[in-house]
Amino acid sequence: MKRTIALLLILTLMLSGCGATAAAPTEPEVITLPTEATAAAETTASEAATEATEAAEETTEATEPPVLENPLNGEVLDAPFTDRIFASTISNMKENLPHVNMVKADVVMEMFVNNTIVRCLALFSNIEEAEAIGSTRSTRPIFNQIAQHYSLILSHAGGSPLALEDAESRGIENFNIDNWTVAQAGTSYRDTEYKRAYENTLFGIGSGIKAYAEAQGYPMTLEKDYGFRFTDDGTPADGEDAAEITITLAYQGNIKKDTVMKYDAETQKYVYNQYDMEMHDQITDEVESFRNVIVMFAPMETMDIYYKADFNAGGNGYFACGGKIVPITWTCDGDTEPFRFFNADGTELELGRGNTYIGISNVNESANVTWTA
């Protein structure tokens, strides 16, 4: 009996030992040290990633939208400017002053038009802002030339057969606001409150001029480069101090007229003076002043009794902004192309954002620009 129990005990212990599972040995952790090849590969990948990031940043910068500007005054806009530019002929003889709403023009060009007559051509990017413009006088061939260069819609008080035929031959979109039918459409009025000769009492109405042009079927949009370049501060870095600038416009030796620009540091504009008077608006008494002053010397000749310029020849001139003045050059690439302005080193001239006066004079010994600090 005891023998049987012992055998059973031994058998049980043997079976228990056979059913046990031995623990698997733990494998040692494998640590891989970087080789020179691995390090080089990682460096190359890092450099490639950096280059890709820099390229992406450059691409982003290159594709940033350009600054949208009013092409006549540099005002920053939210949308591209495609409106038509309007121009009005304005008398500039002493007996016809003061002007009305020339202060609302973006660009004012002054020149001799025939004999001893000096007139202005005022360019508006938004002529509707001007409730009155004038006094408005007849067009001249040199105005027609400028209208062709800038694709302007030109309003005027008629003109001689030669001047009107010249406008037609150049394809200028223009009309006479002194015509009874045109005037009745709301383009102009006669003002007898101020003592002037009757021919100097015609004034354009900006909104009426635009509405009439549209009624004639003139396109009201145009995409065009008008040649002006702008920056926030157009003061020429290497310019000479010019607190007062005298511009002597001339056609022939005995035909000349002085325009004096006086710098106002507070407004950062040049105040327009002529005939020993500071120019103020007739209605608002606002001072006529300009952010930029440009003088263009151009070869000029007569067309019958009228003057015209060879703008395509280009020439020299001066530019003033911020109380400083520098010599410049200017060019024109064809009858329908705008004037382009350059610094003495050939780089494009940048104007200060704002309005601009341009004096245009014949190239001769009487034409001159002088200044004092």
Side-chain angles (χ1 to χ4, degrees), residues 137-268:
R137 295 301 305 268
S138 54
T139 190
R140 292 289 187 264
I142 196 168
F143 289 157
N144 299 336
Q145 285 184 278
I146 295 169
Q148 186 178 18
H149 283 291
Y150 287 92
S151 302
L152 306 174
I153 296 178
L154 178 64
S155 60
H156 51 76
S160 69
L162 186 151
L164 296 178
E165 289 168 6
D166 177 72
E168 183 177 2
S169 69
R170 294 178 183 275
I172 308 303
E173 293 168 324
N174 72 103
F175 48 87
N176 175 13
I177 63 173
D178 197 25
N179 175 281
W180 173 255
T181 302
V182 179
Q184 288 300 104
T187 63
S188 66
Y189 70 96
R190 289 280 176 181
D191 181 6
T192 56
E193 179 180 351
Y194 289 84
K195 302 301 180 183
R196 308 172 188 254
Y198 181 78
E199 64 268 21
N200 300 317
T201 62
L202 182 70
F203 293 83
I205 302 172
S207 58
I209 288 171
K210 183 174 182 179
Y212 185 81
E214 189 170 11
Q216 300 312 298
Y218 296 158
M220 288 293 104
T221 60
L222 177 68
E223 294 186 15
K224 183 180 178 69
D225 180 1
Y226 293 92
F228 299 108
R229 301 291 179 264
F230 293 93
T231 186
D232 291 336
D233 182 3
T235 306
D238 56 348
E240 294 186 24
D241 290 338
E244 183 171 314
I245 304 170
T246 299
I247 303 164
T248 302
L249 303 176
Y251 177 68
Q252 295 172 339
N254 60 340
I255 302 176
K256 56 186 179 180
K257 180 258 180 185
D258 287 342
T259 292
V260 180
M261 294 291 182
K262 297 182 179 181
Y263 187 65
D264 183 339
E266 183 175 348
T267 64
Q268 298 183 344

Side-chain angles (χ1 to χ4, degrees), residues 18-300:
C18 291
T21 302
T26 303
E27 294 184 2
E29 181 181 357
V30 178
I31 301 175
T32 303
L33 296 175
T35 64
E36 291 183 3
T38 303
E42 290 177 350
T43 301
T44 301
S46 176
E47 290 175 349
T50 301
E51 290 175 358
T53 301
E54 291 176 350
E57 291 175 351
E58 290 177 1
T59 301
T60 301
E61 291 177 1
T63 56
E64 287 182 357
V67 176
L68 303 175
E69 298 176 332
N70 181 311
L72 292 194
N73 61 30
E75 176 189 0
V76 178
L77 306 174
D78 295 328
F81 183 94
T82 58
D83 294 344
R84 292 298 302 274
I85 304 298
F86 283 77
S88 180
T89 59
I90 296 180
S91 176
N92 202 39
M93 300 299 289
K94 182 177 181 180
E95 61 271 20
N96 302 338
L97 298 173
H99 302 127
V100 173
N101 270 328
M102 203 166 78
V103 293
K104 287 188 168 63
D106 300 290
V107 178
V108 172
M109 300 182 178
E110 180 186 12
M111 68 214 78
F112 279 100
V113 294
N114 62 274
N115 300 327
T116 60
I117 306 299
V118 177
R119 287 185 184 165
C120 292
L121 187 66
L123 279 59
F124 298 86
S125 61
N126 184 4
I127 197 170
E128 290 180 294
E129 289 184 341
E131 296 178 359
I133 306 169
S135 63
T136 303
R137 295 301 305 268
S138 54
T139 190
R140 292 289 187 264
I142 196 168
F143 289 157
N144 299 336
Q145 285 184 278
I146 295 169
Q148 186 178 18
H149 283 291
Y150 287 92
S151 302
L152 306 174
I153 296 178
L154 178 64
S155 60
H156 51 76
S160 69
L162 186 151
L164 296 178
E165 289 168 6
D166 177 72
E168 183 177 2
S169 69
R170 294 178 183 275
I172 308 303
E173 293 168 324
N174 72 103
F175 48 87
N176 175 13
I177 63 173
D178 197 25
N179 175 281
W180 173 255
T181 302
V182 179
Q184 288 300 104
T187 63
S188 66
Y189 70 96
R190 289 280 176 181
D191 181 6
T192 56
E193 179 180 351
Y194 289 84
K195 302 301 180 183
R196 308 172 188 254
Y198 181 78
E199 64 268 21
N200 300 317
T201 62
L202 182 70
F203 293 83
I205 302 172
S207 58
I209 288 171
K210 183 174 182 179
Y212 185 81
E214 189 170 11
Q216 300 312 298
Y218 296 158
M220 288 293 104
T221 60
L222 177 68
E223 294 186 15
K224 183 180 178 69
D225 180 1
Y226 293 92
F228 299 108
R229 301 291 179 264
F230 293 93
T231 186
D232 291 336
D233 182 3
T235 306
D238 56 348
E240 294 186 24
D241 290 338
E244 183 171 314
I245 304 170
T246 299
I247 303 164
T248 302
L249 303 176
Y251 177 68
Q252 295 172 339
N254 60 340
I255 302 176
K256 56 186 179 180
K257 180 258 180 185
D258 287 342
T259 292
V260 180
M261 294 291 182
K262 297 182 179 181
Y263 187 65
D264 183 339
E266 183 175 348
T267 64
Q268 298 183 344
K269 287 188 172 186
Y270 278 96
V271 177
Y272 189 20
N273 288 258
Q274 57 182 347
Y275 308 113
D276 297 320
M277 297 184 294
E278 184 176 274
M279 295 293 98
H280 289 245
D281 187 83
Q282 174 180 294
I283 296 175
T284 65
D285 199 39
E286 183 178 349
V287 176
E288 291 183 4
S289 57
F290 299 90
R291 178 76 65 198
N292 307 290
V293 174
I294 293 176
V295 180
M296 298 168 55
F297 296 120
M300 298 175 69

